[in-house]
Amino acid sequence: MNTALLAIGPLGTPEMVIIAVLILVLFGAKKLPTFARSLGRSMGEFKRAKDDFETELHRSAADEEAEERKRRELPKSATETRDVSATPTRSRESEDI
């Protein structure tokens, strides 16, 4: 196991405060609203793309299930018509006898 990853661990409140202060110092207070706005837009776009992907995935799965049901029903209906046509019919000549 990689020991460097274990040494980092999860970020707590003190670490997040230090990161926020560093960002404030590096970019300045005027740029922070712009960054926050663009981050919010990016998150919204990501959520929309995720929802569209999930919708398409569910739609595709439903279409596949419907197609599979049609394939299963098709041989049954073909067998039924074959059985009907294979049944011997009585001719008029056999009725006269």
Side-chain angles (χ1 to χ4, degrees):
M1 203 181 281
N2 194 351
T3 58
L5 289 176
L6 292 176
I8 294 173
L11 293 177
T13 304
E15 290 88 1
M16 295 296 283
V17 170
I18 291 171
I19 292 171
V21 169
L22 285 174
I23 290 174
L24 183 61
V25 169
L26 289 175
F27 296 109
K30 290 183 179 180
K31 289 286 184 178
L32 284 182
T34 306
F35 288 137
R37 220 175 288 119
S38 64
L39 180 65
R41 287 180 186 148
S42 299
M43 288 174 62
E45 183 64 31
F46 179 77
K47 184 179 180 213
R48 272 192 297 273
K50 180 189 69 121
D51 291 343
D52 289 346
F53 178 74
E54 285 177 351
T55 302
E56 184 62 32
L57 187 65
H58 290 298
R59 184 181 301 135
S60 176
D63 290 348
E64 189 69 28
E65 288 175 6
E67 190 175 308
E68 183 64 30
R69 272 189 251 122
K70 282 183 182 179
R71 276 189 244 138
R72 275 190 249 134
E73 290 174 1
L74 183 62
K76 289 179 185 177
S77 63
T79 305
E80 289 171 0
T81 56
R82 195 172 2 146
D83 290 342
V84 170
S85 62
T87 306
T89 57
R90 296 186 349 171
S91 65
R92 294 187 133 232
E93 293 174 7
S94 63
E95 290 177 4
D96 292 338
I97 299 178

